[in-house]
C-alpha cells in the first residue's frame, strides 16, 4: 500500500468506500473485495486506521484475479504520525511547522512520482485560501475532505471549495455509528426514502452526489456495500434536496478534542 499512497479524488468517481473500522481481522479485506466486485473504485484509507495492509491485500487479490486494474483505482491515504513529526500533543503537524511547509513535503512526493495528487482534510476556508495563495505553489489541493451530512451541510465551505476548483469529499455521510446521533432514523430522511423506494443510507449518499460532492460511506457489511452503490438509478427532486438541506443544525460529530488547542484547529471559525 505504501506505494499506492495518493490523495486522489474526482467528482465523477462517487463509487467510494470509507475504510476506517474496528473490524475483526480479515473483515476489511473482504469488504474491499466485495466493493471492487460491485463497482467501487475509490478507497479512502489512512495510516492511522491501521488497516492499510488489509485494504492492500483485498486490492492485490482483485488485481491478480483480473477483476480490476491498478490504474482504475483511486486509493486515498492520509499523512499520519509515521509520516510527519509529532508535536507535544501527538499531532501529526508540529506546532513549530506551518501546514504550508508540510504541503511542500507533500508536493515533493508528487514530483518523486510516489503519489498522483495531493489534497487536504478538515481545512476551513481560511486555511484553504492561505494554501491556494501560497507563493510558488506547485500543486493545488485536488480535494478537501470534510465531515458532511444533513446535520452539517457545509454549504458555505462547499461553495467556497467549488468556486476555487477544489473538489469536496464528504466523510461521515451517514452520521457514523456512535455518538447517539441517528441520522438514518430522521423522520424527513425516512419519508423521502419511502417516496423513492430507497433506504435512508441511499438518500444520504445520493444527496451528496447531486451536490457534486464525492462521498465515502464506510461499511464492512456486504449487503450494505452493495446497497450504498445502488444510487445511480434515481434522482432526488430539487425540493427534496432543499428539504434535506433544511435539516442542517451545524452538528459536528468529528471534533478532534485532542487538537482543540492547536493553533491550526480548523473548527473555531464559522466555515
Ligand atoms: N478525514 C477525516 O478526518 C475522517 C474522519 C472520519 C471518517 N473519515 C472517512 O470517512 C469514512 C466514512 O465515515 P464514518 O465511517 O465515520 O461514518 P459513515 O460512513 O457515515 O457511517 C459508517 C457506519 O454506517 C454503517 N452503515 C454503512 N452503510 C449502511 C447502510 N446502508 N445502512 C445502515 N448502516 C450503514 C456502518 O456499519 P457497518 O460497517 O457495520 O456496515 C458504520 O457503522 C471513514 O471510513 C473514513 O474513511 C475521514
Amino acid at each position: 500500500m505504501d506505494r499506492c499512497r495518493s490523495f486522489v479524488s474526482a467528482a465523477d468517481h462517487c463509487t467510494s468506500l470509507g475504510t476506517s473500522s474496528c473490524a475483526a481481522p480479515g473483515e476489511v479485506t473482504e469488504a474491499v473485495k466485495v466493493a471492487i466486485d460491485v463497482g467501487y473504485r475509490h478507497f479512502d484509507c489512512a495510516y492511522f486506521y491501521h488497516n492499510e495492509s488489509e485494504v492492500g491485500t483485498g486490492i492485490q487479490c482483485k488485481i491478480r484475479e483480473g477483476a480490476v486494474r491498478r490504474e482504475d483505482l483511486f486509493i486515498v491515504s492520509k499523512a499520519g504520525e509515521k509520516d510527519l513529526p509529532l508535536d507535544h500533543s501527538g499531532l501529526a503537524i508540529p506546532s513549530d511547522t506551518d501546514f504550508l511547509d508540510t504541503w511542500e513535503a507533500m508536493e515533493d512526493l508528487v514530483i518523486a512520482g510516489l503519489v498522483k495528487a495531493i489534497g487536504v482534510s478538515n481545512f476551513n476556508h481560511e486555511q484553504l485560501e492561505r494554501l491556494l495563495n501560497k507563493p510558488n505553489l506547485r500543486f493545488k489541493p485536488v480535494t478537501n475532505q470534510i465531515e458532511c451530512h444533513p446535520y452539517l451541510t457545509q454549504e458555505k465551505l462547499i461553495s467556497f471549495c467549488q468556486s476555487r476548483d477544489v473538489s469536496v469529499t464528504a466523510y461521515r455521510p451517514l452520521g457514523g455509528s456512535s455518538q447517539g446521533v441517528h441520522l438514518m432514523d430522521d423522520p424527513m430522511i425516512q419519508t423521502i426514502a419511502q417516496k423513492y423506494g430507497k433506504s435512508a443510507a441511499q438518500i444520504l449518499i445520493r444527496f451528496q452526489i447531486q451536490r457534486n460532492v464525492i462521498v465515502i460511506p464506510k461499511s464492512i457489511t456486504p449487503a450494505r456495500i452493495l446497497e450504498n452503490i445502488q444510487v445511480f438509478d434515481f434522482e432526488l427532486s430539487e425540493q427534496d434536496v432543499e428539504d434535506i438541506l433544511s435539516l442542517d443544525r451545524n452538528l459536528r460529530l468529528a471534533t478532534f478534542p485532542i487538537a482543540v488547542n492547536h493553533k491550526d484547529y480548523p473548527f473555531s471559525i464559522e466555515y
Side-chain angles (χ1 to χ4, degrees), residues 121-122 144-149 151-154 157-158 168-173 175 179 208 250-256 267:
S121 181
N122 295 311
N144 186 13
Q145 185 181 121
I146 56 174
E147 179 180 340
C148 190
H149 45 71
Y151 292 166
L152 183 70
T153 53
Q154 301 269 26
L157 186 52
I158 290 174
V168 173
T169 304
Y171 76 70
R172 205 150 290 178
Q179 298 166 293
Q208 302 293 358
N250 201 25
L251 179 68
R252 193 177 294 283
L253 300 170
T255 54
F256 303 98
F267 308 138

Side-chain angles (χ1 to χ4, degrees), residues 148-153 173-175 181-208 211 227 234 236 239-249:
C148 190
H149 45 71
Y151 292 166
L152 183 70
T153 53
L174 309 177
V181 174
H182 302 288
L183 182 55
M184 284 181 269
D185 294 338
D186 184 283
M188 185 191 288
I189 302 296
Q190 285 289 333
T191 302
I192 294 174
Q194 277 171 20
K195 174 174 156 187
Y196 289 92
K198 289 286 179 179
S199 71
Q202 289 169 321
I203 298 300
L204 297 175
I205 294 164
R206 182 73 205 182
F207 165 65
Q208 302 293 358
R211 307 171 79 198
E227 176 184 322
F234 74 110
L236 295 168
Q239 186 58 54
D240 288 327
V241 171
E242 285 302 315
D243 289 347
I244 295 172
L245 285 171
S246 76
L247 292 174
D248 185 34
R249 53 186 79 163

Side-chain angles (χ1 to χ4, degrees), residues 20 44 121 145 172 174 218-221 224 227-228:
S20 74
D44 183 72
S121 181
Q145 185 181 121
R172 205 150 290 178
L174 309 177
K218 170 259 163 187
S219 179
I220 51 165
T221 311
R224 289 175 174 172
E227 176 184 322
N228 293 349

